[in-house]
Amino acid sequence: MPRDELALLAETLLSEPTVRNRWRQQLSLTRIFDWLEGFPADTWQDRWLLSGVTTRLR
């Protein structure tokens, strides 16, 4: 799924979609997507799993 589609889906999760909240979310997503693109996988989910974040959060 393209980044812009994921960003639109994420925006629906905001409880208060103010301009500031949308800006902060967009900035955060950009940073995460940029970071995840460094992992060699075909999907965002696979990149997330390769990053090891899931195991470090436990």
Side-chain angles (χ1 to χ4, degrees), residues 31-50:
R31 289 179 177 169
I32 291 169
F33 289 147
D34 288 349
W35 175 69
L36 285 174
E37 283 180 338
F39 294 94
D42 293 327
T43 67
W44 295 111
Q45 183 174 356
D46 288 342
R47 291 175 179 152
W48 181 261
L49 294 172
L50 280 174

Side-chain angles (χ1 to χ4, degrees), residues 5-16:
E5 287 182 35
L6 285 172
L8 287 173
L9 287 174
E11 189 172 332
T12 65
L13 300 174
L14 289 173
S15 59
E16 295 181 43

Side-chain angles (χ1 to χ4, degrees), residues 14-25:
L14 289 173
S15 59
E16 295 181 43
T18 63
V19 172
R20 180 185 169 125
N21 286 345
R22 285 195 303 266
W23 176 82
R24 290 176 67 199
Q25 183 184 56

